Amino acid sequence: MKGRERSLAKAQSLIESGLSVDVVGSRGSGRTAFMGALAKRLDENEWTVHEVRGVASLKQNPFAALGLSGTVELAAARRMDNLIEEVGRQLIDRVANDRCAFFVDDWDDLDEASWGVIEFARRSTGVPIVISRLQGLRARHTPSGLPAATLAPTYVIDMLPLRFEDLEAAMSEYLGGVIEPGTSRRLYTKSGGNVGLALALIDATVREGRLVQIDGDPWTAIGELWSPTLRAVMEMHLESLDPSARDALETIAMVGLADIDTVRTLVDWPTLELLEERAMIAFAQGTRSNYVSVVPPLFTSYFRHDPLSARRIRLTEKILTTLGGASPDFELDDVWSDLNTAGETQDALFAGMLRESLKTRQLVAGYEWEKSPNVHTANAYVEVLAQAGVAVSGATIERVYAETDDRSGDMAARAEYYSRRADWLAYGLGRVDEALELLDHRSRELASFGRILDARGISILADFRAVPEGFEVVLEVTDDLPVPVQAALLESQLHVLVIDGRLHDANRVYAELRRLDPQGERAAVRAIQGMSLLAQGDFESGYRDVTNGLDEARGNLDLYSFRAFAGAVAFANLHSGDMQFQGELLDVVLSTGDFSPIPPGSRTIVLVAASVLAASRGQHDLCLKYVGLLRSEGAAELALPGQSPAWGEAQLQVLEGKLKSAARILWNSSLALRDRGAIFAAQLGMLASLEMHPTEARLAEAIALIEQRPDIVVHASHLRYLIAATRGDARAVLDAAHELEAHQRIGLAMAAYGRAVDLSTDHPDSELREQAAADERRLRMRHSGRVFNTTRFGGLGTTLSKREREVATLAANGLSNQEIAARLVVSVRTVDSHMYRIMRKLGVSSRESLAAKVGSGSLL
């Protein structure tokens, strides 16, 4: 029972105390499974559990449920006139044992006679009763709603939707293998965390080949996550609605995520309240209005694929007639034309909620500080203010520090106060020397808590200047130190070790830090460790942790953590080359308001990722915009990968076709990072530079640096690919491609397989080319529907030829291969060959994706 352990323990405790429990949830929420797990726990504690199940078809038959369950013997009882008394006597005899409980599953479908004698037994003996009932049908005295003078006290256990990680674990266990992270997110989103719907969706899509596992690889979704066989499951969820309520739910699904005023013109309040009670719609607070959406989103897929055209036409006419007059700007050309619009609206809503939450927290924290300007209230206020950025909050933060008595708190609070102030000086204002001086001066006043300031000083030095020699001695942890001090020292150790590329040592430190902080509440630490795991080749663990962290931050409306994890996830998408999810992520992150320089580097990583995405799409003006932001903000070159503005400057040069210039910018940046001891970031920059313009001299330097840090295995595989590609060794390129794929560097692996195909065209071993082509097709098929950056930086011969650009443009304009052949006066086979190379080079799997590439100017 993943995610239900706490609820199980609570329910067990209540029952063992003699109290009754209602297990309440929607269809598919796992009520029956929960009841089974609870019964097993009680059985192991030597309790006797009598289980009865309601059956809707037998609801009109007295004692049907009790008789079929074997709890009473109806055959003997029916020979007597006093049937009720005999059944009641048998039932009370069953519960003579003090350690006894009744479990009634699907209580809503129980016949009244069975419930009547069970309730009589509870009142007579005090036996606890556990029932499962549907959410939204309200706690009633009897299954059919008969009124009663009294109601026995009971406690409710809600079967809430599972958290992302719990549902992912349940799905993986059900499938008997791991699930590709993007697919996990899609299944979670579709099902809304409802485990029953998620497993039904898995069953259906596996049968139809939409959810596949190839050669032991993670389970991956191909195409849309929907199957007509799910209709029965969805209709079961809808069967309790009357026709008007069902129409209302479909209407809301058709208009998408809409504000309450719009929905109210279509649906009356009583129906909205009913749908909310049944957990079929959800309300969310936006910046200007409440919004309404259908939950879970699988309902939208069901309605979208409903074959009944008459109802669709009727509802569409109602929407147009009603909203056409009430809202002149409202248009409904095709209510199902683009489901992504709802996703974009939800993302915009989430960004607005983050901004509103931040404003509220600022008001509360500001009031507390104004009322009592001490160290404790200042820490809380500055934490919130810093998230609004330098331009918005800079003056207020300076005022807080100027007007707060820095000796008004305990040692721990003062250490936090000085650390926050140093971070603001260094990362927010660029006054690094002043920050270091502050930390050095104040650490002497705080006894053992001064070590926290020493740790911050080491991290700031490593970020801006160089990894300090002998930092291990300064950051040494001993058991006599307070836990907050130990945690701060370990956090700084981890930061510096990852910068230095000593990733195995970082793993050891992270394990110790998690022992002190088992809940993993330090978002920046988790984000850095996630990046470290990616580089060690453990993509699954690293990506899962940072995406889970991102989901947790979204759920908690925690802007600081959201930005910290967003930076790590953006780095992970650059690692895998997943440009589709990258675009979705960056749209949300960049709409959360003015960025803060804290957490350090997250702003730079996001803008770098945005410039890479724009460059991969050929969007010069957009790329220039992001690079302009990096320039205007004076973004410092910090020490972790992706935290250098040089990456953005290089993208502009790539778009202008100046690969040598782009390679030089990144190479010089990498040399400076190497000299500062930032080996991890230096290696990555060198590899990208070599992709753009490889030279023997630079290759030799990169080899020497990568050999210094064998922990970074992903960079070693990347290097082997570059060496093999530069030397034209098709076999070695193919071997490197296999390694890159194993490390989930999907975009680079696709490029490597394509390079192996090109290099092996004239190879004497024909099987080599066939294998490379088959591996490339397999990888593209496994990730069909997603867009990966396979063109990389335009190096190693991945740009389109003049004829390929011509063919791509015609295909994007809707011409078939036969029509293109006739237009260009070539054979259809020639066009087929061109199209294969175009799809491979551009990393697209359909003509629709190709049209998007052409429309964005990526072929110029």
Side-chain angles (χ1 to χ4, degrees):
M1 290 297 294
K2 292 289 186 182
R4 307 289 193 203
E5 294 85 356
R6 188 172 298 178
S7 295
L8 279 170
K10 178 181 178 182
Q12 181 180 354
S13 174
L14 290 168
I15 295 165
E16 291 179 344
S17 299
L19 301 172
S20 294
V21 172
D22 282 13
V23 179
V24 182
S26 60
R27 297 185 190 273
S29 60
R31 291 174 294 128
T32 298
F34 183 89
M35 298 270 282
L38 182 57
K40 183 179 178 182
R41 283 190 172 208
L42 291 171
D43 182 66
E44 290 171 351
N45 275 13
E46 299 181 350
W47 274 64
T48 300
V49 175
H50 300 288
E51 299 184 65
V52 180
R53 186 184 185 96
V55 181
S57 299
L58 299 176
K59 201 169 183 177
Q60 303 305 316
N61 296 275
F63 304 114
L66 279 174
L68 291 174
S69 69
T71 307
V72 299
E73 296 181 7
L74 291 182
R78 289 192 183 280
R79 290 196 297 268
M80 304 172 63
D81 294 332
N82 54 343
L83 176 62
I84 295 176
E85 291 84 347
E86 174 59 20
V87 172
R89 183 192 61 76
Q90 290 187 38
L91 207 62
I92 290 176
D93 288 343
R94 290 279 190 179
V95 298
N97 179 6
D98 289 338
R99 299 171 68 82
C100 181
F102 266 110
F103 275 44
V104 182
D105 198 9
D106 289 335
W107 174 83
D108 312 271
D109 295 329
L110 193 67
D111 63 275
E112 286 288 349
S114 291
W115 176 245
V117 293
I118 291 173
E119 178 66 9
F120 173 76
R122 170 162 59 179
R123 297 188 185 186
S124 301
T125 66
V127 60
I129 297 176
V130 181
I131 70 170
S132 78
R133 58 182 174 86
L134 282 174
Q135 181 179 11
L137 297 181
R138 293 196 180 95
R140 298 168 300 189
H141 293 203
T142 74
S144 62
L146 293 174
T150 60
L151 180 65
T154 187
Y155 292 82
V156 173
I157 300 292
D158 286 311
M159 294 287 97
L160 299 173
L162 291 180
R163 295 176 57 181
F164 174 78
E165 59 269 25
D166 295 322
L167 183 63
E168 183 182 43
M171 294 188 299
S172 296
E173 182 178 345
Y174 187 73
L175 284 168
V178 298
I179 307 174
E180 186 264 331
T183 299
S184 289
R185 288 195 304 275
R186 292 177 65 192
L187 289 167
Y188 178 79
T189 301
K190 277 281 189 182
S191 66
N194 182 303
V195 64
L197 285 179
L199 298 184
L201 181 58
I202 284 173
D203 281 337
T205 50
V206 168
R207 281 195 303 270
E208 297 194 1
R210 296 176 184 268
L211 186 63
V212 299
Q213 184 182 39
I214 302 174
D215 299 330
D217 289 333
W219 287 90
T220 303
I222 297 176
E224 185 181 4
L225 284 174
W226 171 257
S227 166
T229 60
L230 287 168
R231 288 180 52 80
V233 175
M234 304 310 298
E235 286 165 359
M236 178 187 71
H237 283 254
L238 295 169
E239 66 185 4
S240 61
L241 297 179
D242 61 37
S244 62
R246 190 197 181 285
D247 279 357
L249 187 66
E250 185 167 357
T251 298
I252 296 169
M254 290 171 72
V255 299
L257 187 72
D259 64 85
I260 187 63
D261 291 335
T262 299
V263 174
R264 272 286 298 113
T265 62
L266 298 163
V267 182
D268 59 69
W269 276 117
T271 304
L272 286 175
E273 291 171 7
L274 172 67
L275 293 175
E276 185 181 22
E277 287 175 358
R278 302 289 175 87
M280 291 178 168
I281 61 172
F283 292 85
Q285 177 65 48
T287 54
R288 297 179 180 176
S289 176
N290 283 315
Y291 289 84
V292 187
S293 64
V294 172
V295 290
L298 201 57
F299 275 127
T300 302
S301 294
Y302 165 76
F303 288 131
R304 181 181 182 228
H305 293 88
D306 192 335
L308 299 179
S309 300
R311 181 167 61 232
R312 177 75 47 75
I313 294 170
R314 174 172 58 81
L315 294 178
T316 301
E317 288 181 351
K318 177 184 177 182
I319 294 171
L320 290 172
T321 302
T322 305
L323 295 184
S327 179
D329 297 329
F330 185 85
E331 295 181 2
L332 193 64
D333 294 332
D334 184 355
V335 294
W336 302 112
S337 61
D338 187 6
L339 288 181
N340 289 329
T341 302
E344 292 169 3
T345 307
Q346 289 173 344
D347 287 340
L349 172 62
F350 166 70
M353 291 171 67
L354 271 178
R355 293 192 297 268
E356 291 300 309
S357 174
L358 183 63
K359 289 179 183 177
T360 301
R361 292 174 59 204
Q362 283 179 353
L363 288 173
V364 174
Y367 171 77
E368 294 296 332
W369 179 78
E370 294 283 359
K371 185 173 64 174
S372 178
N374 57 54
V375 166
H376 291 279
T377 58
N379 285 337
Y381 195 17
V382 170
E383 178 184 5
V384 181
L385 285 171
Q387 295 175 36
V390 178
V392 174
S393 296
T396 307
I397 290 175
E398 290 301 312
R399 175 173 164 251
V400 170
Y401 284 128
E403 298 180 13
T404 298
D405 179 3
D406 61 3
R407 298 180 182 277
S408 56
D410 55 32
M411 293 288 191
R414 291 177 63 195
E416 179 185 349
Y417 177 85
Y418 294 130
S419 292
R420 287 190 185 280
R421 188 170 186 182
D423 281 349
W424 182 253
L425 288 169
Y427 298 102
L429 305 178
R431 289 148 55 179
V432 178
D433 289 334
E434 191 175 338
L436 294 171
E437 183 180 350
L438 169 72
L439 293 169
D440 181 59
H441 174 65
R442 295 298 186 180
S443 68
R444 306 167 196 167
E445 305 173 359
L446 301 180
S448 62
F449 282 90
R451 300 286 304 280
I452 294 177
L453 305 191
D454 297 338
R456 287 308 306 146
I458 292 292
S459 288
I460 290 173
L461 279 171
D463 261 337
F464 286 95
R465 302 288 166 77
V467 173
E469 293 186 11
F471 70 88
E472 297 93 340
V473 176
V474 179
L475 300 177
E476 182 181 3
V477 177
T478 56
D479 293 337
D480 61 314
L481 292 171
V483 170
V485 177
Q486 294 185 45
L489 293 169
L490 290 169
E491 186 172 350
S492 184
Q493 281 187 37
L494 178 76
H495 181 212
V496 179
L497 287 168
V498 173
I499 287 173
D500 194 29
R502 293 163 53 184
L503 304 187
H504 289 173
D505 289 338
N507 292 344
R508 172 185 51 78
V509 172
Y510 185 69
E512 183 63 19
L513 189 56
R514 287 304 298 265
R515 184 185 65 80
L516 296 178
D517 178 21
Q519 301 303 316
E521 295 177 354
R522 297 169 183 267
V525 172
R526 282 177 63 186
I528 292 172
Q529 178 63 8
M531 295 168 64
S532 170
L533 291 174
L534 296 176
Q536 294 176 66
D538 190 357
F539 181 87
E540 181 183 332
S541 297
Y543 194 67
R544 181 176 61 244
D545 197 36
V546 295
T547 52
N548 284 353
L550 191 69
D551 288 335
E552 292 165 12
R554 286 182 69 116
N556 297 330
L557 291 181
D558 182 346
L559 185 55
Y560 174 93
S561 296
F562 179 75
R563 286 170 171 167
F565 285 117
V569 174
F571 175 80
N573 291 331
L574 291 174
H575 172 102
S576 67
D578 188 339
M579 293 294 101
Q580 181 172 325
F581 183 53
Q582 188 79 299
E584 297 167 5
L585 171 71
L586 296 178
D587 286 344
V588 182
V589 177
L590 293 171
S591 63
T592 57
D594 290 338
F595 251 57
S596 165
I598 298 169
S602 63
R603 167 70 163 172
T604 304
I605 289 180
V606 167
L607 288 176
V608 163
S611 67
V612 172
L613 178 63
S616 74
R617 294 172 172 173
Q619 298 167 321
H620 183 277
D621 290 344
L622 189 59
C623 183
L624 181 60
K625 171 189 173 182
Y626 295 132
V627 175
L629 287 173
L630 287 168
R631 291 171 180 169
S632 65
E633 294 170 4
E637 185 163 70
L638 300 184
L640 285 170
Q643 295 183 351
S644 169
W647 283 88
E649 299 289 351
Q651 300 311 306
L652 285 178
Q653 298 299 308
V654 168
L655 282 172
E656 294 172 8
K658 301 175 182 177
L659 292 183
K660 288 184 179 180
S661 176
R664 183 173 59 254
I665 289 171
L666 269 185
W667 186 261
N668 291 338
S669 169
S670 300
L671 291 180
L673 288 166
R674 179 196 64 184
D675 295 341
R676 288 165 46 186
I679 307 300
F680 187 4
Q683 286 186 0
L684 186 62
M686 284 184 173
L687 291 168
S689 176
L690 287 169
E691 277 194 76
M692 297 171 183
H693 181 63
T695 69
E696 287 296 331
R698 288 178 179 174
L699 195 58
E701 284 195 74
I703 292 171
L705 186 64
I706 286 174
E707 287 178 347
Q708 286 183 25
R709 295 292 184 268
D711 299 355
I712 312 179
V713 297
V714 173
H715 289 179
S717 297
H718 191 170
L719 179 65
R720 281 191 282 276
Y721 161 58
L722 294 176
I723 293 172
T726 302
R727 297 174 181 172
D729 186 339
R731 171 62 66 183
V733 168
L734 183 58
D735 291 341
H738 290 149
E739 291 183 27
L740 292 167
E741 182 183 348
H743 297 321
Q744 293 296 306
R745 299 213 64 183
I746 304 301
L748 186 56
M750 287 179 178
Y753 283 130
R755 185 65 172 161
V757 171
D758 293 341
L759 290 173
S760 60
T761 299
D762 300 322
H763 199 279
D765 182 2
S766 61
E767 291 184 2
L768 179 62
R769 187 178 191 281
E770 292 175 4
Q771 181 185 350
D775 286 339
E776 183 187 19
R777 283 194 299 271
R778 172 186 51 78
L779 185 58
R780 288 187 182 279
M781 182 180 297
R782 179 156 34 111
H783 294 282
S784 64
R786 301 201 70 78
V787 178
F788 287 88
N789 181 11
T790 59
T791 58
R792 303 293 295 164
F793 306 106
L796 297 176
T798 57
T799 53
L800 298 185
S801 67
K802 181 179 179 181
R803 176 48 64 93
E804 286 168 350
R805 287 198 298 273
E806 194 174 9
V807 171
T809 302
L810 292 173
N813 287 331
L815 274 67
S816 67
N817 285 8
Q818 290 83 355
E819 292 169 330
I820 294 171
R823 177 78 63 87
L824 300 179
V825 194
V826 296
S827 69
V828 175
R829 177 173 292 184
T830 298
V831 176
D832 290 342
S833 178
H834 282 315
M835 285 299 297
Y836 170 75
R837 288 195 297 271
I838 290 165
M839 295 286 194
R840 170 167 53 77
K841 289 182 177 183
L842 296 182
V844 297
S845 56
S846 67
R847 289 183 180 243
E848 290 78 12
S849 298
L850 175 62
K853 282 273 189 180
V854 174
S856 69
S858 297
L859 307 186
L860 300 178

